[in-house]
Amino acid sequence: MHVKRVPYRSRGRWPAVAAAGVVLVPVVLLGCGGPDIPPREARDAVSGFATEWSRGKAAQAVDPHTARTAATTVRDLNESLTITTTAVTPKGKLACLDDDQAESINAGRGVCRQNLAVTHELAGLGRWRYTTTAEVRENTEGGWAVWWTPETFHPKLTGTTRLERHRALPPRASILDRNGEPLTEERPVVRVGVLPGKAKPDMTYYELGRNLGIDAADLRKRADAASPKQFVDVLALREQAYDELSYVLDEIPGVTTRKATMSLAPTSSYARGVLGVMSPATDKMLKDAGPLAVIGDPVGVSGLQRAFEEQLAGRPGGSIDVVDVRNGKKLHEVYTLEPRPGKALLTTLDPFAQEAAEHVVEAQEKPTSIVAVRASTGEILAAANGPGVTSYNRAFVGEYPPGSTFKVVSVAALLENGLSMVESVECPAETNVGGKRFKNAHNMSLPNGPTWNAFAFSCNTTVVNRAENLADGDLVAMAQRFGIGAEWDLGLPAYSGSVPAPKDLVDRAATMIGQGRVLMSPLGMALVAAAVDSGQPRAPVLVPKVKPGGPVGEKLPTGLRTNLRELMRRVVESGSARSLDLIGEPVHAKTGTAEYGNESPPRTHAWMIGFRGDIAFAVVVEDGGGGGRDAGPVAQSFLQESRFVQ
């Protein structure tokens, strides 16, 4: 038998609240005790509504007469305010109207109100918290449901007001040189984008990929997910670069542009591998851009711009305003986030040394890197990769066999094990060690002479013939004393090198001349030279206030340091780096020709490391031939152009 539910009557015994006017305000809730507490169904309705709103399904838990309005309001405001998540919980106790008040609102059936604590996560603006009120009404069947009105979403939202979101980014802070002068500043750019509704997919994305070097498939995927009129960022170009391409871009369907500014270095190539690159953020970039970054924000995508994104970008500011829909006048500000300017990032880069390095590598034909460090501190003064525009920071992360530049380490081990600087040594054109043939570059040979002369002319055979004089652990230990393989905390990825323990006599001999399994970066080899210069191996420093670096291990013994300095000076005075015997402060250096690959004859990288005064340096030219012949002129040009660096 069907039993009709009888609408619940208060009989005037519930604690009463004032009847609502046009705007609902958070209620002052009164305690309900004894047998006259509000109906459980009313409490359940409010609790269920809070749960469903938190799940994004508020319309499913309101009275059917208001469900469409609820769905529209929540959908539109989630979109316009960019609400990503919502959490709603009942706050305090349910309070109900007396019969007279309920009569005017709900034909005498029950009406109760419940404060709700609402927390929205706003994309790009953070967390917005407030209290609103849900009104729950009894229906003719005795059931209860929330009666949705604009005020349910927010107490200031009515039929004559709307909520507006405003957001602005503070100026991005600069990356500074060692003198505190900006290396990056706001510079004009053109943001190239696509309007998906006007694009011709089979043509637009292919042409943009071909002309701008971007991932056409990824762009198409992002455009397909966007609305037809949405501006989908492709690339930001400096004004000059855009001017050179505009005639091509203007002919691609759906391409549109916006003028903007970004924090950029003086040129596209200037210290690019270190300073990094800026770009309008895509969804993939947001992971490393901080909690308040949104798609389209200019963010760092490499280098220091990326590593210190949150510090440089600061915090955006914004507000949620209540606006009169009739005249557009702002009535209230219900949420405010004050912007926080970014903080500048001090580096150790020297503008003169960096400019010299950039100028020199730009003139090369093959991939070339130059690193310069202050020997007494480990501070990086310059790091350039070229020619052309490249974000690959081979100066820090390139892994190359160091060739004969590694003889600084291996000969140090021999000197520590009894080799004399003036001992007469042989230098045949080739030799056999453990059944393996080793030879000198260009089949060079020397008459018997002092150790320093064999080092000056980079005699491989002299060194490998003494592999039996070392234990397998001697080379590894000496490499560690120079800081090779140390853990660096530079602020950017960097490779300190690897010298595996030799497996046998042949491997030990190959290791001694920087071949076999030895790998080093240009920065790592610059610090080897710096250790000889200052006597104290150090970790590199790039951002001194954040990552101060410091000594690595003990100082080199005074006698060993003196001998190594003399050996490296002999290389310049009479050996394979005579092109660096410049006027002024003497240069100390070591050349290197590092074989790689399986071709016959093998291809080679050209190396030069050294120091002058307190400045240590390393040069590598990929597939560059010989150290003295090919890396030497690069080092010479750099030293001449940066001679004023003190």
Side-chain angles (χ1 to χ4, degrees), residues 290-313:
L292 297 185
V294 298
I295 291 173
D297 283 355
V299 299
V301 295
S302 64
L304 293 175
Q305 294 279 26
R306 178 182 179 183
F308 293 89
E309 167 65 26
E310 293 188 57
Q311 174 180 331
L312 295 167

Side-chain angles (χ1 to χ4, degrees), residues 192-214 216 219 223 231-232 234-235 237 242 244-257:
V192 179
V194 169
L195 298 178
K198 294 186 176 181
K200 293 183 178 179
D202 291 338
M203 174 186 178
T204 298
Y205 309 118
Y206 169 77
E207 289 295 331
L208 286 171
R210 187 170 68 88
N211 286 284
L212 298 181
I214 55 96
L219 173 59
F231 182 93
V232 179
V234 178
L235 194 67
L237 297 172
Y242 173 75
E244 295 172 356
L245 288 168
S246 60
Y247 75 97
V248 175
L249 298 175
D250 288 345
E251 299 300 317
I252 301 176
V255 170
T256 186
T257 60

Side-chain angles (χ1 to χ4, degrees), residues 604-630:
T604 57
H605 301 309
W607 280 89
M608 182 74 77
I609 68 170
F611 58 89
R612 190 184 201 188
D614 195 26
I615 310 302
F617 62 88
V619 173
V620 67
V621 182
E622 285 189 9
D623 197 31
R629 183 191 67 197
D630 297 290

